Amino acid sequence: MEVFREFKDYNGTEPLALSLGMFDGVHKGHQSILQEINRIADQKGLKSSILTFWPHPRLVFNPDAGLKLLNTLDEKTELLGKFGIQLLFLKNFDEEFRNMYGADFIKEILAGKLHVRYLIIGHDHVFGKNRSGNFKLLQEMGPEYGFEAEQMEVVNLHNNNISSTKIRNALSEGRIEDANEMLGYHYPVSGTVIHGAKIGRTLGFPTANILTDPQKLLPKKGAYIVDVVLGSQKYQGMLSVGTNPTVDGTSLSVEVHILDFDKDIYGQPITVQFRKFLHDEIKFQNLGKLIERLEEDRTLTRRFFVAN
């Protein structure tokens, strides 16, 4: 997949099948759009492409709202590539772009710069200043600028529509299985292994502390069963999101104990993939009670992987 961070870097003249949107999470609803883009591209001899924005427009319009995202930019790029998209345009959502009306965006960018011949948008997608761009406008302008437009139906799961907001809510409530089902994959959190207080090692449960992207959504505080990806290897792990209240911790941390593992991985990239919520964060009366619970969690983690 070719990635273009600015339109000025793209000088292609080949006609495109394109979809635009945030694609935060690249969930099953998004995946249906990607499949349709690829199908249309193959059918009509076009290049499959996606136009997405960074940062998220909601972070620009309301920076104090504290929105957390399902994907970092690298994660979203990797996911879109896995679904066979040929071209990815990452448009900086700056002041100039946010003030562009929908009709000008269609004329100057979609038709003029990107040579779009088939455009697919989600069921509720709007774009341009004052939300002036929508499916109706695309239908009206399509004949003049030589493109067809299609609006995808909402994707439902158990009679509920899938959305990035619903996935965020599920993760924030610890409903990992629900979130993973809507995503179509196990929710990942990536980062770099950093030095921590090393308390876990003294308890017989050494942990890798993970420095994560501050805009990445972390599931609710508590203990989890996770897959741990280091390079090309995958391991089993139990993870804590929290402040370590038993030892009077105050700052939020992400720590993973990797089962049957004893290697120095400081400074290395690491990804954890959430599989199951074990329990809420607990402040134990003493370290002995904490160790007992860690041993119980480890037993549950081993049983989970035997069954799954």
Side-chain angles (χ1 to χ4, degrees):
M1 182 175 69
E2 292 184 84
V3 180
F4 298 90
R5 290 186 172 269
E6 286 296 336
F7 295 142
K8 62 180 175 60
D9 298 330
Y10 178 70
N11 297 305
T13 58
E14 296 171 285
L16 305 182
L18 180 138
S19 183
L20 66 152
M22 274 310 302
F23 292 90
D24 187 30
V26 195
H27 55 61
K28 284 182 177 177
H30 298 139
Q31 291 164 29
S32 70
I33 294 176
L34 301 178
Q35 290 163 2
E36 179 69 356
I37 279 285
N38 285 327
R39 186 188 72 80
I40 290 293
D42 288 342
Q43 181 187 87
K44 296 180 177 290
L46 307 173
K47 276 202 165 185
S48 62
S49 56
I50 294 294
L51 169 57
T52 190
F53 313 104
W54 200 266
H56 196 296
R58 283 170 59 184
L59 292 172
V60 176
F61 288 115
N62 193 3
D64 298 324
L67 175 70
K68 299 293 185 179
L69 301 178
L70 299 174
N71 293 145
T72 65
L73 186 55
D74 286 344
E75 287 171 350
K76 180 160 64 172
T77 299
E78 181 180 354
L79 282 166
L80 290 170
K82 284 182 178 178
F83 284 97
I85 297 300
Q86 293 173 283
L87 301 176
L88 175 61
F89 301 98
L90 302 172
K91 181 66 185 81
N92 180 26
F93 197 80
D94 54 21
E95 192 69 22
E96 178 183 1
F97 187 72
R98 68 181 283 189
N99 286 314
M100 178 177 280
Y101 283 96
D104 294 328
F105 174 69
I106 293 169
K107 176 183 176 181
E108 297 174 21
I109 304 299
L110 296 183
K113 181 65 177 176
L114 301 182
H115 312 290
V116 173
R117 292 295 174 265
Y118 201 98
L119 184 73
I120 299 177
I121 62 171
H123 73 284
D124 59 353
H125 187 72
V126 293
F127 55 93
K129 186 175 182 179
N130 299 332
R131 302 167 68 87
S132 54
N134 52 35
F135 183 59
K136 183 173 182 291
L137 182 64
L138 290 169
Q139 286 181 305
E140 292 171 353
M141 296 184 66
E144 180 181 357
Y145 291 100
F147 64 83
E148 298 176 72
E150 176 184 349
Q151 188 172 41
M152 295 288 290
E153 296 294 325
V154 64
V155 174
N156 288 295
L157 184 67
H158 309 309
N159 295 318
N160 289 308
N161 65 301
I162 296 172
S163 71
S164 300
T165 298
K166 288 184 177 180
I167 296 169
R168 290 190 197 100
N169 291 340
L171 291 168
S172 297
E173 295 167 6
R175 294 186 287 112
I176 296 302
E177 289 94 339
D178 290 345
N180 287 344
E181 190 174 15
M182 287 186 281
L183 287 167
Y185 57 89
H186 301 132
Y187 185 67
V189 170
S190 300
T192 304
V193 180
I194 59 173
H195 289 276
K198 297 181 174 59
I199 295 172
R201 187 171 296 278
T202 67
L203 304 177
F205 289 84
T207 60
N209 285 58
I210 305 173
L211 179 64
T212 64
D213 188 307
Q215 287 189 344
K216 173 78 173 185
L217 176 68
L218 298 175
K220 71 174 290 188
K221 292 179 182 178
Y224 296 86
I225 296 172
V226 296
D227 291 319
V228 184
V229 181
L230 287 163
S232 60
Q233 299 296 312
K234 182 176 284 190
Y235 303 91
Q236 301 170 357
M238 44 192 270
L239 177 141
S240 168
V241 177
T243 59
N244 297 310
T246 304
V247 293
D248 298 322
T250 56
S251 59
L252 187 70
S253 65
V254 180
E255 303 178 37
V256 62
H257 171 69
I258 308 173
L259 272 57
D260 307 314
F261 184 88
D262 186 21
K263 294 180 181 178
D264 183 350
I265 54 173
Y266 289 118
Q268 293 188 26
I270 187 172
T271 297
V272 292
Q273 299 166 341
F274 285 77
R275 301 293 302 274
K276 184 178 178 63
F277 178 72
L278 284 171
H279 57 77
D280 289 317
E281 183 175 53
I282 303 170
K283 183 173 183 176
F284 294 95
Q285 295 177 340
N286 53 58
L287 291 179
K289 294 293 185 183
L290 170 58
I291 292 171
E292 286 179 12
R293 189 54 192 254
L294 288 171
E295 290 173 343
E296 182 180 339
D297 287 351
R298 183 164 57 188
T299 298
L300 292 172
T301 298
R302 292 193 189 280
R303 287 177 183 169
F304 173 85
F305 282 112
V306 168
N308 294 274

